[in-house]
Amino acid sequence: MQLEFSGRIWFWKGPAPWYFVTVPGEQCAQLSAVAGAVTYGWGMIPVSAEIGRTRWTTSLWPKDGSYIVPLKSAVRKAEGLDEGGEARVRISLSI
């Protein structure tokens, strides 16, 4: 399964601060339909992600009925991304 979407980059200040992009509703519905077959626990879904020319392996995190994509520092730096900016994200997962 491959999905592509755009979203605003947001920052979570929790005990382990991190940057994310929220997966839009339509794509979340597609992910929810296959989540049981691909999750490795806590609802996390392993994916390959890509923004611009940067590719990395990560997991989608479930949050408030949707999924969020964590953005590593190296990805943000390589693509010149920061909080509040827009990112075009491509993800793929094996079903």
Side-chain angles (χ1 to χ4, degrees), residues 47-51 54-58 69 89-92:
V47 297
S48 295
E50 184 178 343
I51 294 177
T54 306
R55 293 181 183 193
W56 75 104
T57 302
T58 190
V69 182
V89 183
R90 289 174 296 283
I91 57 172
S92 60

Side-chain angles (χ1 to χ4, degrees), residues 9 12 14 16 24 31-35 37 39 42 45 51 62-63 67-68 71 78 83-86 88 94-95:
I9 299 167
W12 183 64
L31 291 165
S32 292
V34 299
T39 186
W42 307 291
I45 299 176
I51 294 177
K63 181 175 183 344
Y67 291 94
I68 56 178
L71 300 181
E83 181 179 7
E86 191 83 6
R88 185 83 181 153
S94 298
I95 300 175

